Amino acid sequence: MSRTASAQWELQHPQPSASWANSETVAGSEREKHSDEEKQTRRDSSLNEVAPASPPTPSVVPTPPPRDIHGIKWAFGVVAILSSVFLFALDQTIVADVQPNIINEFDSIEKLPWLSVAFLLGSASTNLFWGRAYGQFNPKWIYVLCVAVFEIGSAVCGAAPNMDALIIGRAIAGLGGGGMYLGVMMMLSIFTTPVERPKYIGVIGAVFGIGTVLGPVIGGAFADNKSATWRWAFYINLCIGGAFSPAYFFLLPSRDLRPGVSFLERLRAIDWVGNTFMVGAYVSLLMAISFGGATFAWNSSREIALLCVSGVLFIILGIHQVWSNPQHRMFPVHFLKRKDLVVQFLVGAAAGTSSFVTIYFVPLYFQFVQHSSSLLAGVRLLPFIGALAVFTLLNGHLMVRLGYSIPWYAAGSALVIAANAMLMHIDLHTSKAFIYGAMVINGIGTGMYLNAPFALAQFLVSPKEISSAVGFIMCARGGGLAIALSIGNSNFLNLAQSRIQELFPSMDHTQVQSLTSGVGSRLLESLSPSEQQQVLGAIVYAISRVFIESLAAGCFCFVLTLFMDRKKIKIN
């Protein structure tokens, strides 16, 4: 545009004066200031109105501790319940060295197998019942109830006037003892963290091993003491239980696992029908195994009837469990659909065989061949107990920390196979060093995986199913031990009696039984030295054949390692 045109445009459109412009600017600034104040006021009021309705910032809720007691109180409470593990293990084997004294007093040699089997029967047939009860009620008070039942059974045994009363007392003690042991497993699973739990289970295994092996030692000490007699092998339970009873009431944590549920609803949640079938099936099966050959001929009508009844009851039990209410059934059927839990169940059933066969039959060998007293025969088991206790503790401490379980199972079962292959070849001239070496190897191998199924089963299930998992493995352990010991006793008696009967056809059945039970010393001394060697040779051969059962159990566990998951154990 030209300068003349620009001047004309300014004359026609004059610019506002500076004062006007400034006033407008001030006014605009004032309006903007008021507008900003209004906006701030609205913003503040809106914040005041909206803030409470806005979702709060999420915060991390701390996990409640598993127990409400710590320090010395918790330590003493653990020691108290571990004493019941010791007593339960002690009672399983304490009759191993007092059997001759009991038979001498009651003169009932035909009922000899029931001294050991009755206790295991009471325990094995009720494990699932107690497992269900612990899941429904406060574990502390169910545990106290089981301790009371165990002590009542021990009192009946100590005061028994005859063999039948002693067998009934043993069954009652087994009923309470099984629940007592399961209760310790339950409480140490509920009131410990996943990191702590394997260590506690390892301690349980070590205490159980010590009690199991010291059973013959303590029983033998009482049997050799004329002032105490064999009855104190059972009265000792009352003394130890009474000493720790205040801790059971005042130190153990208390927790209701089903708050708000009525007592009747809890009772209805227990499978009473299934438990009845279970007890009947176990009793008839163990009676058939224990009486077969030694008391009744295997082809006798009584023996066939017992086997048939047992088979029918187990079939009915299986059908009942499959079709019953899943919320109330006794046996966790859904666990059978999982390969990892089934493998742990089978290992749990077979793992204890090597330890119990050793504990029952090695002292018998020393009594017959080395002429050891009851006490000394039990003391000779100490190499086994030391190895078993140490490696059970190591397994509980290291297996979960390292994260791998298969090496423990494979190496342990391989050592069990080797040890029992050695024990199968013992005879009258076998050295004590050879037997001690075999027992140490057996203790190491057994300790490496004896209690591992209890720890692993709890990692394989959800927290709410821990009680079912513990009962599941306890069912396998108790049933496996009862059946294994029944088979071992039956094999020993049948082999020894048949061989002695062949050597001395003129002896009647009672005389042959007295020789094989260890109470026939006078009859044995009346024979010539060569005849004594023949009898001892027959007995030692029968003892050596029993270790085939432990060898088979070790092979079975080794094969099961092929079906285990190779995943590393992870603690959440």
Side-chain angles (χ1 to χ4, degrees):
M1 179 183 298
S2 66
R3 186 171 300 177
T4 304
S6 175
Q8 291 177 354
W9 173 265
E10 291 178 357
L11 289 174
Q12 293 176 2
H13 301 84
Q15 297 292 328
S17 65
S19 61
W20 183 89
N22 289 338
S23 64
E24 283 290 321
T25 303
V26 172
S29 299
E30 289 294 328
R31 283 195 300 271
E32 290 178 0
K33 181 178 179 181
H34 289 300
S35 177
D36 290 342
E37 290 177 354
E38 290 176 1
K39 288 180 180 179
Q40 182 65 32
T41 303
R42 287 195 299 269
R43 187 180 298 113
D44 292 341
S45 62
S46 64
L47 286 174
N48 291 334
E49 293 175 358
V50 176
S54 62
T57 303
S59 59
V60 178
V61 180
T63 304
R67 55 185 178 271
D68 52 5
I69 64 170
H70 303 276
I72 190 66
K73 290 185 177 181
W74 171 247
F76 192 76
V78 171
V79 170
I81 60 176
L82 287 177
S83 70
S84 60
V85 173
F86 177 79
L87 292 180
F88 175 65
L90 192 76
D91 254 44
Q92 294 192 66
T93 58
I94 203 166
V95 298
D97 277 358
V98 302
Q99 289 180 149
N101 305 71
I102 294 173
I103 297 301
N104 273 331
E105 181 169 341
F106 293 143
D107 193 24
S108 300
I109 192 171
E110 69 280 357
K111 299 175 183 177
L112 175 65
W114 283 98
L115 287 178
S116 56
V117 172
F119 184 87
L120 293 173
L121 173 63
S123 172
S125 61
T126 57
N127 274 327
L128 291 173
F129 167 78
W130 289 122
R132 191 70 180 172
Y134 276 110
Q136 298 298 320
F137 298 94
N138 190 322
K140 172 181 177 177
W141 299 115
I142 297 296
Y143 170 77
V144 170
L145 172 64
C146 292
V147 172
V149 173
F150 174 77
E151 299 294 353
I152 290 171
S154 300
V156 172
C157 290
N162 52 51
M163 191 67 158
D164 292 336
L166 179 58
I167 292 172
I168 292 172
R170 291 285 289 164
I172 295 173
L175 169 66
M180 192 168 64
Y181 180 75
L182 184 61
V184 177
M185 283 285 193
M186 279 292 304
M187 286 190 288
L188 290 183
S189 297
I190 295 173
F191 300 125
T192 58
T193 64
V195 177
E196 296 174 324
R197 196 170 301 144
K199 300 176 184 178
Y200 282 99
I201 292 177
V203 173
I204 292 173
V207 173
F208 184 86
I210 293 171
T212 299
V213 181
L214 285 183
V217 178
I218 296 175
F222 285 127
D224 290 344
N225 191 321
K226 295 182 179 179
S227 60
T229 74
W230 59 267
R231 295 182 182 274
W232 273 94
F234 304 106
Y235 285 144
I236 190 177
N237 297 334
L238 302 178
C239 301
I240 297 177
F244 284 103
S245 58
Y248 301 152
F249 288 94
F250 301 114
L251 289 183
L252 295 185
S254 180
R255 181 177 299 174
D256 188 355
L257 299 182
R258 298 192 67 192
V261 179
S262 68
F263 182 77
L264 290 179
E265 289 182 7
R266 298 173 196 244
L267 287 179
R268 283 195 292 267
I270 297 176
D271 187 0
W272 300 99
V273 176
N275 278 284
T276 303
F277 287 140
M278 174 69 81
V279 172
Y282 263 115
V283 169
S284 54
L285 176 62
L286 295 183
M287 286 177 66
I289 296 173
S290 300
F291 293 155
T295 305
F296 305 138
W298 284 105
N299 59 354
S300 65
S301 58
R302 294 180 180 179
E303 193 68 21
I304 294 172
L306 286 172
L307 290 172
C308 290
V309 169
S310 174
V312 170
L313 288 177
F314 272 117
I315 292 172
I316 295 175
L317 174 64
I319 296 173
H320 175 267
Q321 292 301 294
V322 171
W323 292 101
S324 60
N325 186 345
Q327 300 298 324
H328 297 164
R329 64 167 59 120
M330 172 189 64
F331 190 84
V333 178
H334 60 289
F335 285 174
L336 298 179
K337 299 178 182 179
R338 294 182 53 179
K339 184 191 70 173
D340 49 1
L341 288 175
V342 171
V343 169
Q344 297 305 318
F345 180 88
L346 296 175
V347 172
T353 302
S354 59
S355 62
F356 269 68
V357 169
T358 300
I359 290 166
Y360 268 90
F361 290 97
V362 168
L364 196 61
Y365 172 87
F366 284 118
Q367 284 179 305
F368 275 112
V369 178
Q370 304 287 341
H371 305 291
S372 301
S373 64
S374 298
L375 175 59
L376 183 57
V379 170
R380 293 187 188 278
L381 287 171
L382 291 180
F384 176 77
I385 180 179
L388 179 68
V390 168
F391 276 84
T392 302
L393 284 172
L394 287 176
N395 172 259
H397 182 70
L398 295 178
M399 185 179 71
V400 175
R401 171 174 287 190
L402 299 176
Y404 296 100
S405 61
I406 293 180
W408 294 89
Y409 286 96
S413 55
L415 291 174
V416 167
I417 294 170
N420 286 279
M422 294 170 65
L423 292 172
M424 276 176 53
H425 294 89
I426 59 175
D427 55 29
L428 291 174
H429 308 290
T430 302
S431 66
K432 288 183 285 188
F434 180 86
I435 297 176
Y436 290 154
M439 285 197 294
V440 169
I441 295 173
N442 197 22
I444 293 173
T446 304
M448 290 180 73
Y449 67 100
L450 179 64
N451 272 9
F454 287 102
L456 285 180
Q458 296 181 47
F459 283 105
L460 296 174
V461 300
S462 61
K464 66 180 181 180
E465 289 189 312
I466 285 180
S467 61
S468 298
V470 173
F472 184 66
I473 302 299
M474 272 296 295
C475 175
R477 173 62 52 81
L481 287 178
I483 294 172
L485 198 55
S486 298
I487 293 174
N489 278 324
S490 180
N491 286 340
F492 167 70
L493 291 175
N494 288 325
L495 280 173
Q497 290 174 14
S498 62
R499 286 214 159 200
I500 294 174
Q501 196 74 62
E502 291 175 2
L503 294 171
F504 305 98
S506 60
M507 286 188 181
D508 59 28
H509 188 62
T510 302
Q511 290 177 312
V512 173
Q513 281 187 326
S514 68
L515 287 173
T516 57
S517 66
V519 299
S521 57
R522 293 181 181 177
L523 177 59
L524 186 62
E525 291 174 358
S526 68
L527 302 176
S528 65
S530 62
E531 290 175 334
Q532 290 181 16
Q533 290 298 305
Q534 288 179 319
V535 171
L536 291 178
I539 292 173
V540 171
Y541 174 79
I543 292 174
S544 68
R545 297 300 93 183
V546 174
F547 292 104
I548 296 177
E549 184 180 10
S550 296
L551 178 66
C555 293
F556 183 61
C557 291
F558 188 82
V559 171
L560 287 174
T561 60
L562 301 176
F563 300 94
M564 293 182 181
D565 290 335
R566 286 159 176 76
K567 298 178 182 178
K568 187 174 181 178
I569 301 171
K570 294 182 180 180
I571 301 177
N572 295 324

